[in-house]
Amino acid sequence: MWALLSLAIGSFGIGMTEFTVMGLLPEIGQELLPAQWAANPDDAIAQAGWLISLYALGVVVGAPTIAGSVARFPRHRVMIVLALALTVFNALTVLAPTFELVAASRFLAGLPHGAYFGIGALVAADVLGPGNRAKGVAFVLTGLTIANVVGVPAGTYLGQQFGWRIAFAIVALIFALATAAIAVFVPRVPGQPGRTLRAELGVFRIRQVWFALATGSVGFGGFFAVYSYVAPIVTEVAGSPQWAVPLILVVIGLGMTAGNLVGGHLADVDLRRTLLWGLGVLALILVVLALTAAWIVALAVSVFLVGFVSAGISPAIQARLMDVSGDNQSIAAALNHSALNLGNSLGAFLGGLVIAAGWGFTMPPWVGAGLALIGLVIAAIGYRVEDRSRRRVQALAPAHVPAD
């Protein structure tokens, strides 16, 4: 249990570093982009949103390359190095003086993200034993979801009161604690000797891997189209004071924590239905959010449900990738986070695009609903292709059975 808790501390830090920035976009834009802020605060907020996309891009780049490169090494040692890298790169965010250098530090901070979750999920699955793969994934993700209940709201509040950099200083300290805890408590877990980056990258020759990646990156973009701009939605659309932003973040985090635990169980029971129904329900809730965002109580209920359903889908996407990846488990487990952070980047970019176009802060939820529906279509097509291939193989099988 101490080993799993150590991994969860690191995932708590990742949740803070990934999501706290979303609640502090106004503060970041005002400090780092003073000229744009003076001319048009909405433009400054939209440009500050690029930090979200750059972090996500770091995850996309780092997850397959790092996870594939380290598959042959003992997993507990890899986890120590990844936690240490997260400590250093988040400290750079605290110290960087300009928007450009902060942007570079956010990209670097994203690089170890996917490999940490992917390899950590494999360690957790080994600890929990057979038949509990999605539960192991969900346990590691629990730190991230709890971060959205406690860490992100607290970091947002402290950032609003004492400057946004204090939030990332706290994140760096959390990663330092995680590094020490992993070194002490995570048992020796062997890697896969003989596995190379080239061998791991063979996962991209599997067609169903592409369907799963596209499902996660497009469908999950619906969540990030809203979450990236939750601060201005609360203050500008609902007309609530700034102190309400951390409270709404707590509500989202509670939804994510509950959804993650339920989603891990449902994915072990029926992965296909969990994924398809989840994406459809997410699209519906995002439409409701767009229509009711002007009322703070309705907004709170909607964002809770958005967090619940989105987090419930995440273990299903990772389990799906592990199902279709064959022997490439290390890179498959990490690729889930590439997919989700492509969704992060896509949702933040498209949400910022409609805001910068002058369509207002109620448009990102509509963008999110469209992305969730597209993700549902992609997932359905992937399963249909898989079913047809299976039936084709079954139909040909008798012809290869030797006669008595």
Side-chain angles (χ1 to χ4, degrees):
M1 181 57 68
W2 284 104
L4 296 178
L5 180 60
S6 300
L7 297 173
I9 292 172
S11 66
F12 180 94
I14 289 178
M16 278 197 70
T17 195
E18 181 175 14
F19 296 124
T20 298
V21 66
M22 298 173 182
L24 294 174
L25 290 182
E27 288 74 18
I28 294 172
Q30 188 171 10
E31 178 186 332
L32 297 180
L33 301 166
Q36 291 93 323
W37 183 269
N40 188 331
D42 286 359
D43 287 346
I45 291 173
Q47 185 171 336
W50 296 354
L51 298 178
I52 302 169
S53 296
L54 285 168
Y55 180 91
L57 181 61
V59 180
V60 172
V61 172
T65 54
I66 294 175
S69 298
V70 302
R72 65 185 183 276
F73 297 114
R75 288 171 181 165
H76 67 290
R77 293 183 182 176
V78 171
M79 295 303 295
I80 293 171
V81 173
L82 292 173
L84 182 60
L86 286 161
T87 304
V88 172
F89 294 146
N90 279 279
L92 290 178
T93 298
V94 179
L95 300 173
T98 66
F99 180 80
E100 290 76 15
L101 291 176
V102 169
S105 74
R106 298 312 297 154
F107 174 79
L108 291 173
L111 291 174
H113 173 130
Y116 183 96
F117 273 120
I119 297 172
L122 295 177
V123 173
D126 288 339
V127 171
L128 291 176
N132 295 296
R133 180 182 51 194
K135 292 184 183 70
V137 172
F139 194 99
V140 176
L141 289 172
T142 296
L144 184 149
T145 58
I146 292 176
N148 283 277
V149 179
V150 180
V152 174
T156 301
Y157 176 78
L158 292 172
Q160 291 172 342
Q161 301 301 314
F162 304 107
W164 63 269
R165 294 178 190 273
I166 191 68
F168 292 96
I170 294 170
V171 168
L173 290 174
I174 290 171
F175 281 127
L177 175 62
T179 303
I182 291 169
V184 173
F185 295 114
V186 172
R188 295 181 62 86
V189 181
Q192 296 176 288
R195 295 299 296 181
T196 64
L197 176 60
R198 181 176 181 180
E200 288 286 316
L201 291 178
V203 73
F204 291 110
R205 293 194 292 268
I206 302 172
R207 181 168 53 177
Q208 283 300 322
V209 166
W210 287 102
F211 278 114
L213 288 174
T215 299
S217 58
V218 178
F220 218 73
F223 170 73
F224 287 109
V226 172
Y227 200 1
S228 300
Y229 302 99
V230 66
I233 290 173
V234 171
T235 56
E236 302 296 326
V237 179
S240 297
Q242 190 179 52
W243 56 259
V245 175
L247 296 180
I248 291 296
L249 291 174
V250 169
V251 171
I252 298 174
L254 289 170
M256 292 179 69
T257 301
N260 177 60
L261 296 174
V262 173
H265 171 73
L266 292 178
D268 278 332
V269 174
D270 192 326
L271 193 154
R272 180 184 296 206
R273 289 186 178 180
T274 300
L275 187 55
L276 296 178
W277 276 96
L279 288 166
V281 172
L282 177 60
L284 177 62
I285 295 170
L286 286 166
V287 170
V288 173
L289 190 156
L291 295 173
T292 61
W295 297 276
I296 189 63
V297 174
L299 175 63
V301 172
S302 295
V303 296
F304 175 87
L305 294 174
V306 168
F308 181 90
V309 177
S310 298
I313 295 170
S314 183
I317 295 174
Q318 181 149 342
R320 175 65 176 162
L321 273 167
M322 295 168 74
D323 276 347
V324 300
S325 64
D327 295 331
N328 308 290
Q329 292 293 293
S330 293
I331 195 169
L335 279 173
N336 177 51
H337 298 279
S338 288
L340 299 187
N341 279 273
L342 276 172
N344 186 340
S345 182
L346 181 64
F349 172 75
L350 293 178
L353 201 64
V354 295
I355 292 168
W359 293 352
F361 290 109
T362 58
M363 274 306 295
W366 289 105
V367 171
L371 291 173
L373 285 176
I374 295 171
L376 172 60
V377 171
I378 293 170
I381 293 173
Y383 276 116
R384 182 175 178 83
V385 170
E386 181 180 62
D387 290 342
R388 291 174 64 181
S389 297
R390 184 182 297 113
R391 287 195 296 268
R392 189 180 307 117
V393 170
Q394 292 172 346
L396 293 173
H400 299 286
V401 176
D404 291 336

